[in-house]
Amino acid sequence: MNILYLADPNSIHDLKWIRFFAQQKDINCFLIARSIHVRDASDLTQKLQRDQITYLGSIDDFSIINFIKTLSTANKIYRLQIANHIDHFHMLYAEPNALWTLLRWSKNARYTITTRGTDILKTIPDFFNKNSVFSSLITKLYKKAFFKASQLTSTSTRQVVSVNDLFGDELKVALIRTGVDIEYLQNYTSPNSLVIKDMKREKFIFFPRSMRPIYNHEFTIRALSKLPTAILDEYTMLFVNRDSKDQDYVKYIEQEISQTPRLRARFLTSISQEEMFALYQHAALAIMNPLSDGSPVTAMEAMYLQTPLILGPLEYDKDLFGLVDQINEWDEAELADTIEKMISNGRDQSKLDQLKNTVEEHANWGKEMSKLLDLYTNETD
């Protein structure tokens, strides 16, 4: 079986999906990327080769305005499918990737669309909410694109509902979560890096989401400003992704922090997956308040590693996140109160054990990817 993925090679979660299949006998994995996701093609080729993934280059996004270029790109995708005998073309994010199903020229390759969260919960629905000729056209194209796909998958129940609300109940969508690599976490060794050594000596609250506006760190900082002085003096606030591509946002967050009295914060640049896991295990608390979310793997990892966790007031899958502490409104005072209570009450080990068991039952990466393998094997148009 030969599978071509349209994916973000910088995404840990995209590569997590692809690696599972690259490790399987008799499956060959290929990747093309959106041009905006590629900095150094040579370096990317070598990186993917180490994971037994063949990089086939980058493509420009589907464009209505420059449709001649879009046709040229569709021809490039078709030629790559023919040259590499592709059986499945899998688009790991629906916006704008799903639109390539409209120019599905290969008779042999089946097309799969996977929604991941913001694409189907915010970006695509936004087109439905705008009253313009262009938006009306886009909504019609997305509906046609979803119906032309051989298979649809989503990473949360809420996304499945959104697909059906937007495009119709007749569309069948499989729930396949990215999940947590439980076998790896059971056997991984905490790194002895300088970052981990430093943070072991501190009490800290961890904010593991990237430095992008959608992750809403400014809301969290405003809530932190309302914490009692004793907590601000005792705990460092640890943020990651200081080297984000969105440096304007990084500077904005740094400014917000600098203007918050007594708040001690530390920014980390890129850290390894192993360092991230170790930070979860040493954190007093992890907090995530994105404006839009699917089934966040960062939250699942925190749950499995038994880190006390607070999520924002979004609609998460109850079977997976129902026991997680969650604020009810976008209320900074409520978040501050929740942080204070969780710090004051200490670890609830019984609850943390339940959360770990929930991840094992509902978000085991190996089991979820096996479900996708079954779809590849049994997929029919």
Side-chain angles (χ1 to χ4, degrees):
M1 184 189 303
N2 295 329
I3 308 171
L4 174 62
Y5 292 93
L6 174 50
D8 180 357
N10 307 299
S11 166
I12 292 171
H13 306 312
D14 280 15
L15 293 180
K16 198 172 181 181
W17 283 54
I18 302 170
R19 284 190 190 110
F20 177 87
F21 297 98
Q23 294 166 4
Q24 305 301 310
K25 184 179 180 182
D26 298 327
I27 296 181
N28 301 306
C29 291
F30 304 84
L31 183 146
I32 54 175
R34 297 169 65 193
S35 298
I36 62 170
H37 290 152
V38 179
R39 295 180 182 176
D40 185 332
S42 177
D43 181 65
L44 180 57
T45 299
Q46 295 177 25
K47 171 188 169 185
L48 293 173
Q49 279 178 342
R50 290 193 289 270
D51 288 321
Q52 297 178 291
I53 302 166
T54 302
Y55 178 56
L56 297 180
S58 63
I59 60 170
D60 293 322
D61 288 342
F62 189 104
S63 171
I64 298 172
I65 296 171
N66 192 350
F67 198 65
I68 298 299
K69 190 173 185 179
T70 295
L71 289 174
S72 176
T73 302
N75 183 55
K76 178 180 179 179
I77 294 171
Y78 171 69
R79 286 187 285 106
L80 289 173
Q81 290 172 348
I82 297 300
N84 295 282
H85 308 287
I86 299 300
D87 301 297
H88 296 274
F89 180 39
H90 194 156
M91 291 151 277
L92 289 177
Y93 200 76
E95 194 281 322
N97 299 337
L99 295 175
W100 290 115
T101 63
L102 298 171
L103 298 173
R104 180 181 173 178
W105 294 341
S106 172
K107 295 181 180 180
N108 298 320
R110 295 183 176 134
Y111 280 44
T112 300
I113 298 169
T114 289
T115 71
R116 299 292 288 273
T118 302
D119 52 356
I120 198 62
L121 297 177
K122 188 177 189 311
T123 315
I124 293 176
D126 280 351
F127 288 115
F128 284 75
N129 297 326
K130 294 176 182 176
N131 188 19
S132 70
V133 174
F134 179 77
S135 294
S136 177
L137 174 60
I138 292 295
T139 58
K140 290 176 182 177
L141 291 177
Y142 270 113
K143 183 171 183 176
K144 188 174 182 180
F146 270 71
F147 271 92
K148 282 179 70 71
S150 309
Q151 181 64 51
L152 303 171
T153 84
S154 294
T155 60
S156 72
T157 302
R158 188 177 170 216
Q159 293 171 53
V160 175
V161 171
S162 182
V163 170
N164 291 140
D165 285 346
L166 293 173
F167 305 124
D169 292 334
E170 60 268 40
L171 280 176
K172 294 182 179 180
V173 187
L175 174 62
I176 298 178
R177 296 178 171 123
T178 300
V180 173
D181 190 346
I182 290 173
E183 183 178 350
Y184 177 79
L185 283 179
Q186 288 172 338
N187 299 297
Y188 104 100
T189 301
S190 177
N192 196 30
S193 64
L194 184 60
V195 167
I196 302 305
K197 287 180 179 177
D198 283 350
M199 297 316 299
K200 280 182 179 179
R201 293 192 286 264
E202 294 190 47
K203 291 183 178 181
F204 65 95
I205 296 173
F206 192 27
F207 307 90
R209 304 302 284 266
S210 299
M211 275 292 143
R212 291 165 52 199
I214 194 168
Y215 294 123
N216 201 21
H217 294 291
E218 58 270 36
F219 169 79
T220 305
I221 291 166
R222 290 195 295 269
L224 295 177
S225 71
K226 300 179 183 298
L227 288 173
T229 299
I231 293 179
L232 292 175
D233 288 344
E234 187 175 2
Y235 291 89
T236 297
M237 308 302 162
L238 184 65
F239 296 87
V240 298
N241 197 210
R242 172 65 183 79
D243 53 345
S244 165
K245 286 192 237 179
D246 194 339
Q247 283 298 301
D248 288 340
Y249 185 68
V250 172
K251 291 174 183 176
Y252 167 59
I253 294 302
E254 288 179 327
Q255 184 178 25
E256 290 290 300
I257 290 171
S258 68
Q259 293 174 353
T260 305
R262 305 188 76 97
L263 184 63
R264 290 186 297 116
R266 179 171 177 180
F267 277 88
L268 300 179
T269 53
S270 296
I271 57 175
S272 69
Q273 194 72 62
E274 291 76 14
E275 287 173 325
M276 180 74 85
F277 296 153
L279 291 171
Y280 280 129
Q281 291 183 306
H282 294 294
L285 184 63
I287 300 174
M288 309 175 195
N289 294 299
L291 296 171
S292 175
D293 224 351
S295 288
V297 176
T298 44
M300 297 180 213
E301 290 168 346
M303 292 160 64
Y304 186 80
L305 293 168
Q306 301 195 303
T307 308
L309 174 65
I310 300 174
L311 292 175
L314 300 179
E315 186 180 338
Y316 291 100
D317 288 357
K318 294 298 183 185
D319 63 332
L320 185 53
F321 299 104
L323 293 175
V324 174
D325 287 273
Q326 192 174 359
I327 57 175
N328 298 306
E329 305 287 343
W330 288 113
D331 184 340
E332 298 144 15
E334 182 188 358
L335 177 55
D337 287 344
T338 305
I339 296 170
E340 184 179 359
K341 287 175 184 175
M342 291 184 70
I343 292 290
S344 300
N345 293 338
R347 291 172 63 89
D348 183 342
Q349 194 56 50
S350 175
K351 182 175 182 176
L352 294 173
D353 289 340
Q354 283 182 280
L355 291 171
K356 180 178 180 178
N357 292 337
T358 298
V359 172
E360 289 180 333
E361 182 178 355
H362 295 290
N364 184 318
W365 168 72
K367 291 180 180 178
E368 294 299 303
M369 293 301 100
S370 293
K371 286 162 58 177
L372 181 56
L373 179 58
D374 288 341
L375 286 180
Y376 285 152
T377 304
N378 302 317
E379 190 177 34
T380 56
D381 285 315

